[in-house]
Amino acid sequence: MPDGGTPRALPEIGSRTEAGLPAGVAGERPSASPLAEVALAGRVGDRSVYTYRIPEALAAIVQPGMLVEVPFGPRALAGIVVSLNASAEAGIRLRDLKAVLDPLPCLTPIQINLAEWLAKYYACRLNEAIHLMLPSGIDRAPVITYSAEPEDGVGGRFTLTPLQTELLAAMRRMGSATATQLAAGRDGKAVRMALESMARRKVVTRVRGLGRAVVGERTEVVVVLQPRQFRPRLTARQQLVADYLQDRGGEASLTAIHQELGVDRAVITRMAAGRAVVRYTRQMRRDPIAHRPLMISKPPILTNDQHRVLRSIGASLAARDGAVYLLHGVTGSGKTEIYLHAVSETIASGRQAIVLVPEIGLTPQTVDRFAGRFPGQVALLHSKLSDGERLDEWQRIRRGECSIAIGPRSAIFSPFPQIGLIVLDEEHDSSYKQDRTPCYHTREVATRLAHMTGAVVILGSATPDVISFNRADRGAYRLLRMATRVRHPGALPGAGVSRESALPPVQVVDMRQELKAGNRSIFSRALQGALQTTLRRRHQAILFLNRRGSATFVNCRDCGFVAKCGRCDLPFTYHSDGEHLQCHRCDAHAPVPSLCARCGSWRIRYFGLGTQRVEHEVRTLLPQARIERYDRDVVSGKFGHEMILDRFARGEIDILIGTQMVAKGLDFPRVTLVGAVSADTSLNLPDFRAAERSFALLTQVAGRAGRAALPGLVIVQTYTPGHFAIQAAAHHDYAAFYRDEIRFRQEAGYPPFSQLTRLTMSAAVERECHEAADQLAAKLRQWLDARPGVGIEIIGPAPCFINKADNRFFWQILLRGANVHPILSEIPRPWVIDVDPVNLL
Ligand code: ADP
Ligand code: ZN
Ligand code: ZN
């Protein structure tokens, strides 16, 4: 097999040049045995797929999508069969596919098609796209097995040690065995050495293969009581076990017997020997939501808005027309209820639904709502699941044992036989884009899948992605609006609730004025007062801070001026190490100003804020309050999220201080105050989506207040109160935001008016990274010079905004054009190609 390092080529649509062997003209050279194209797991070889012969014994079994074992050089590897209609090139000897590792296909034919599209669009290898769709637990560990050569061939030619003689006899008895199996009770290292020495002398044969799945199925031993007439006389302890089993209908798990009766396993073993009981092993499901109480819920009576929206979606579901709906509904307008109804219609028609939720929006509350409405039907694919739990959920989906999958972006690859509905909740969320190869966007994959299957897509958000909204505006998606919150039975108008929308009022505080008034605290007087009032009323508050709150930009505390790169109009980043400003788009450098360029003030440096600093300040201000931080540093472990949120829900925390994580989908009736401590930190990130992100965040955060009967208040602190994103968020006015933003995108030539691709490279030594970036940029410019009509522009190279992580340095090059695909095949590994990036930091 060729195993060189040639760069991959981006295939033309419809061609199969990417295949292990280029497809010959059909019928040109009929081959004797059928051939399979196999996508190997992991980064091996230089091709996306390799061709193997299917031995006669497997010919009737092998199907596309199956997990198989194939030889590759000296190794045995697992791979997925992607097609059976390969044809061989003359003169090449093909190797045989070795075994089928799983009797059921792991991918549906639709998914194989989807992977082919994904590999082309996102410029990755087909095997990378294929393996993206499989749970990691499906991997097989390599094993080495030994078997004895026929007796007469060996006889007397070598003298064997006593251990070797013993092992040889064992192998003859067992057929083939692994070193571990043969070692049983002996010195493992000695056994391995003895086997290797015999293998060298060809007394035994050594075969590399694949063993059991890395993650096994979870099983339990069940003990079954035999009918009385067959039972021998029992001891007292044995009688205890028999009574216990009798009480439980005749059977129980061994673990339960052991734990509840304190009876040792040996007792059961003796009972089994005496035929009083029989033991067997059964498969158990690792249920990730077993620890949550199931709260069965009935659908409420729908509002008029919900009826209207569901009529459209219902028509598409019935017609299976593959429509993509953009459901633009304010927080609390009842979007989740729409999803629940659409899911219910889908499963009633015998199809399945995938519900996608941003990683950190996958709160227990969300899961409980679906699990409670559709008991026993939901598979949960959370990123915190163990490999075993994930594998079990995936198996349930594959076997058709459930019909709803809920999870973050990777759940889009749930192998349901007949997908009828795909929901993306909070569709604007950036976690829908994978930031490592393959850098796919879940919305694009969902749309593609809908196109292939007729499934209906619902993209739901209070603040749709500008790209999505633009598509709806142009008629590619169908827009559905829900402009008002579902009225709560106890909700009263007035008392700070704006009448028409019932959304909480937003107060924008100008921090420049606070400074002028002598307030040097990070909290405005308005926010301090509101916190005190909230505590006095025994309500709850959330203080919100951007995750990159400690990001550094230069800002004038008197006039709000922000130092920007003149070429790119993006904020400069302050680097404390070299005391300079740098543009992370074009790599321009500038000295740190000592006076504001606009107003001449010396109060010019501003270094951002972290959650710890905010926590410290609140404790000083309100020593009696119960305060908790909720961010990535604090929330760790499998149930960390649930614990803090459950405590907040029970009212054990007065003030929750958090990052983006608090902005997602939390629904706490006693939260009446939300404070955005520094709206500018996200506004001043050097990314053209900074305004969009800030608007979305502020709007989402604002939606946390006054969800229930109690009216809420939102306070936004900023040095640029006139910014259109802040003004639009304050008025809950998406339309105004979109108008300004789309104009900016058009003027600056950003998506959707151009296509971007981000190329990133990392290295342990910064100079190497920089040089590689310069080299690639030069090569690409040369390529473009030779092709004047392509219309692709190269921006950079420049160090990434987050220039260093895990002791590696990062550099990037941006490509921009109407269509960047023609140039992508020129990009060598290990550059990461991110087509349509959502993050340029
Ligand atoms: P969104 O997903 O748009 O934020 P939700 O679906 O979570 O909105 O609805 C907000 C609140 O209103 C929830 O507490 C939900 O249970 C409730 N709700 C939704 N639809 C109805 C309805 N038709 N009747 C009564 N309550 C509803
Ligand atoms: Zn100034
Ligand atoms: Zn610049």
Side-chain angles (χ1 to χ4, degrees):
M1 286 274 136
D3 193 357
T6 47
R8 78 221 120 123
L10 192 74
E12 303 286 326
I13 290 183
S15 91
R16 301 210 49 91
T17 50
E18 202 186 9
L21 290 170
V25 178
E28 188 188 64
R29 190 182 165 278
S31 66
S33 51
L35 305 178
E37 286 183 319
V38 177
L40 302 178
R43 291 203 161 197
V44 288
D46 57 359
R47 292 170 183 251
S48 282
V49 285
Y50 287 86
T51 305
Y52 291 91
R53 273 167 22 120
I54 304 173
E56 216 169 299
L58 296 177
I61 305 169
V62 175
Q63 283 174 44
M66 276 185 169
L67 186 68
V68 294
E69 177 180 336
V70 292
F72 190 80
R75 287 180 287 177
L77 294 175
I80 294 283
V81 175
V82 291
S83 106
L84 295 180
N85 36 32
S87 52
E89 231 175 343
I92 290 190
R93 199 180 58 85
L94 295 174
R95 299 175 77 178
D96 277 359
L97 191 147
K98 203 155 150 220
V100 169
L101 296 174
D102 190 324
L104 285 180
C106 292
L107 293 179
T108 64
I110 295 272
Q111 286 183 301
I112 296 174
N113 273 336
L114 186 68
E116 282 171 350
W117 168 81
L118 204 142
K120 278 171 203 147
Y121 190 80
Y122 290 106
C124 70
R125 290 187 189 176
L126 181 59
N127 61 330
E128 290 171 323
I130 291 273
H131 286 277
L132 181 65
M133 302 183 176
L134 300 171
S136 52
I138 207 167
D139 283 353
R140 301 294 166 124
V143 290
I144 295 172
T145 51
Y146 299 89
S147 54
E149 284 291 318
E151 212 144 351
D152 43 351
V154 208
R157 273 198 282 137
F158 300 105
T159 25
L160 299 175
T161 63
L163 175 59
Q164 288 177 333
T165 312
E166 224 177 280
L167 291 171
L168 205 57
M171 275 180 268
R172 295 229 150 89
R173 240 188 357 263
M174 295 161 74
S176 69
T178 65
T180 318
Q181 286 165 342
L182 289 167
R186 301 188 182 92
D187 172 7
K189 198 169 162 207
V191 166
R192 249 166 262 274
M193 279 167 56
L195 287 169
E196 285 301 315
S197 136
M198 287 195 288
R200 275 196 302 278
R201 290 185 284 164
K202 308 220 178 339
V203 180
V204 304
T205 314
R206 182 178 187 282
V207 179
R208 283 170 186 258
L210 293 178
R212 290 185 305 159
V214 176
V215 176
E217 289 179 332
R218 181 163 155 201
T219 54
E220 64 178 356
V221 175
V222 181
V223 181
V224 186
L225 187 64
Q226 290 304 91
R228 192 177 297 279
Q229 63 268 34
F230 302 124
R231 265 184 246 156
R233 189 187 294 253
L234 299 178
T235 64
R237 292 183 75 75
Q238 291 176 343
Q239 191 57 51
L240 203 64
V241 174
D243 293 345
Y244 178 88
L245 290 171
Q246 196 78 60
D247 291 348
R248 278 156 192 77
E251 68 170 62
S253 81
L254 185 58
T255 321
I257 298 170
H258 177 65
Q259 280 171 356
E260 289 180 33
L261 294 182
V263 169
D264 184 317
R265 277 154 211 267
V267 176
I268 311 288
T269 309
R270 274 194 300 278
M271 288 176 79
R275 300 189 200 286
V277 296
V278 170
R279 289 172 300 183
Y280 73 96
T281 307
R282 86 173 151 207
Q283 197 197 332
M284 261 172 88
R285 175 185 164 213
R286 286 158 282 215
D287 182 354
I289 45 183
H291 69 290
R292 307 277 316 171
L294 187 64
M295 278 173 299
I296 305 292
S297 77
K298 287 249 155 16
I301 296 164
L302 296 177
T303 64
N304 289 340
D305 262 358
Q306 287 170 329
H307 267 303
R308 174 177 51 78
V309 161
L310 277 167
R311 257 198 307 279
S312 302
I313 294 173
S316 280
L317 282 172
R320 309 190 177 193
D321 61 6
V324 180
Y325 285 94
L326 178 60
L327 177 57
H328 178 206
V330 297
T331 35
S333 60
K335 295 186 293 299
T336 310
E337 200 51 55
I338 298 286
Y339 309 150
L340 288 162
H341 268 81
V343 166
S344 163
E345 282 180 34
T346 304
I347 60 179
S349 71
R351 286 171 298 165
Q352 303 86 39
I354 299 175
V355 179
L356 302 165
V357 183
E359 194 81 57
I360 46 183
L362 196 58
T363 59
Q365 291 164 309
T366 311
V367 177
D368 290 350
R369 255 174 108 174
F370 281 87
R373 192 71 62 86
F374 307 104
Q377 302 251 57
V378 174
L380 174 65
L381 298 156
H382 198 287
S383 66
K384 292 230 169 82
L385 297 186
S386 65
D387 279 352
E389 285 173 325
R390 195 190 320 279
L391 189 64
D392 285 2
E393 293 298 81
W394 180 84
Q395 295 284 22
R396 288 176 67 220
I397 294 169
R398 181 167 71 135
R399 295 183 190 133
E401 292 167 9
C402 63
S403 37
I404 306 158
I406 303 185
R409 62 170 181 260
S410 59
I412 189 70
F413 302 118
S414 300
F416 280 127
Q418 263 201 300
I419 300 171
L421 175 72
I422 304 166
V423 172
L424 269 81
D425 186 29
E426 311 281 358
E427 67 89 32
H428 61 279
D429 194 274
S430 57
S431 74
Y432 284 125
K433 185 77 157 66
Q434 174 149 301
D435 56 8
R436 51 177 195 276
T437 307
C439 300
Y440 70 94
H441 196 303
T442 316
R443 177 188 58 203
E444 309 308 318
V445 177
T447 309
R448 183 75 203 165
L449 203 48
H451 179 77
M452 289 163 61
T453 60
V456 173
V457 178
I458 306 176
L459 308 172
S461 176
T463 53
D465 186 299
V466 166
I467 308 272
S468 303
F469 199 83
N470 183 257
R471 288 182 186 165
D473 209 30
R474 291 187 292 107
Y477 297 166
R478 300 187 202 170
L479 185 62
L480 296 168
R481 281 207 176 93
M482 295 206 295
T484 52
R485 283 185 163 184
V486 176
R487 211 175 283 274
H488 263 266
L492 301 169
V497 181
S498 80
R499 219 169 271 269
E500 69 279 25
S501 66
L503 286 164
V506 178
Q507 184 182 351
V508 177
V509 177
D510 185 346
M511 292 304 280
R512 296 169 303 183
Q513 298 305 325
E514 291 297 306
L515 200 65
K516 289 212 178 81
N519 174 17
R520 308 190 140 267
S521 156
I522 61 171
F523 300 125
S524 59
R525 290 158 296 175
L527 186 51
Q528 291 180 13
L531 279 169
Q532 269 146 0
T533 310
T534 305
L535 273 188
R536 203 168 47 244
R537 290 187 181 148
R538 307 201 168 281
H539 292 172
Q540 291 172 302
I542 292 176
L543 288 178
F544 166 75
L545 204 70
N546 193 279
R547 176 157 58 92
R548 306 213 198 280
S550 47
T552 47
F553 58 95
V554 168
N555 164 268
C556 169
R557 295 186 73 183
D558 282 312
C559 78
F561 171 78
V562 172
K564 286 184 178 171
C565 168
R567 238 185 298 177
C568 306
D569 201 31
L570 287 171
F572 271 129
T573 300
Y574 169 76
H575 288 266
S576 58
D577 45 353
E579 283 281 320
H580 66 278
L581 303 181
Q582 186 177 18
C583 171
H584 284 275
R585 268 290 299 284
C586 72
D587 200 25
H589 283 58
V592 182
S594 48
L595 297 176
C596 171
R598 190 197 284 158
C599 75
S601 160
W602 52 269
R603 280 194 278 245
I604 177 83
R605 277 194 191 175
Y606 182 68
F607 303 134
L609 275 174
T611 45
Q612 273 175 325
R613 167 88 190 282
V614 173
E615 181 185 5
H616 176 79
E617 300 255 340
V618 192
R619 286 199 193 283
T620 316
L621 185 69
L622 302 162
Q624 76 281 21
R626 295 164 301 170
I627 300 162
E628 203 72 62
R629 259 163 64 207
Y630 181 69
D631 59 27
R632 266 170 234 271
D633 299 339
V634 179
V635 181
S636 56
K638 198 160 175 166
F639 300 114
H641 285 273
E642 288 179 43
M643 261 154 53
I644 292 195
L645 296 181
D646 285 349
R647 282 177 50 219
F648 194 52
R650 286 197 301 267
E652 293 166 21
I653 299 169
D654 300 315
I655 302 173
L656 194 64
I657 302 167
T659 55
Q660 267 84 332
M661 291 162 70
V662 301
K664 319 275 170 173
L666 309 182
D667 193 353
F668 299 108
R670 296 197 69 77
V671 172
T672 55
L673 173 66
V674 172
V677 182
S678 165
D680 307 296
T681 39
S682 65
L683 219 42
N684 287 308
L685 289 170
D687 186 330
F688 73 89
R689 282 192 174 83
E692 177 175 6
R693 292 260 163 74
S694 306
F695 172 77
L697 271 172
L698 289 175
T699 309
Q700 299 276 323
V701 169
R704 297 302 119 216
R707 294 273 288 189
L710 303 168
L713 172 65
V714 179
I715 293 180
V716 175
Q717 304 194 142
T718 172
Y719 286 94
T720 50
H723 194 287
F724 75 92
I726 290 182
Q727 283 302 319
H731 296 100
H732 303 284
D733 191 348
Y734 181 83
F737 163 76
Y738 177 76
R739 260 196 317 277
D740 284 346
E741 180 66 19
I742 202 77
R743 195 181 309 129
F744 156 71
R745 299 279 181 97
Q746 184 150 30
E747 282 164 7
Y750 282 124
F753 301 98
S754 66
Q755 182 175 39
L756 292 182
T757 288
R758 182 197 203 196
L759 310 175
T760 44
M761 159 70 123
S762 77
V765 180
E766 173 137 50
R767 191 173 39 79
E768 273 173 25
C769 208
H770 188 164
E771 281 171 10
D774 283 345
Q775 262 168 29
L776 179 62
K779 178 185 153 190
L780 295 179
R781 289 201 165 98
Q782 216 172 13
W783 188 92
L784 286 169
D785 285 345
R787 290 163 187 79
V790 181
I792 298 172
E793 174 194 359
I794 293 172
I795 305 169
C800 297
F801 173 72
I802 299 162
N803 179 222
K804 199 179 171 195
D806 295 333
N807 280 319
R808 290 185 76 80
F809 293 90
F810 290 82
W811 275 66
Q812 68 177 356
I813 295 174
L814 277 185
L815 305 174
R816 175 160 70 174
N819 174 12
V820 298
H821 278 95
I823 205 173
L824 298 183
S825 56
E826 300 303 307
I827 295 151
R829 284 173 189 274
W831 282 87
V832 174
I833 302 176
D834 185 354
V835 177
D836 307 331
V838 300
N839 177 11
L840 296 179
L841 296 179

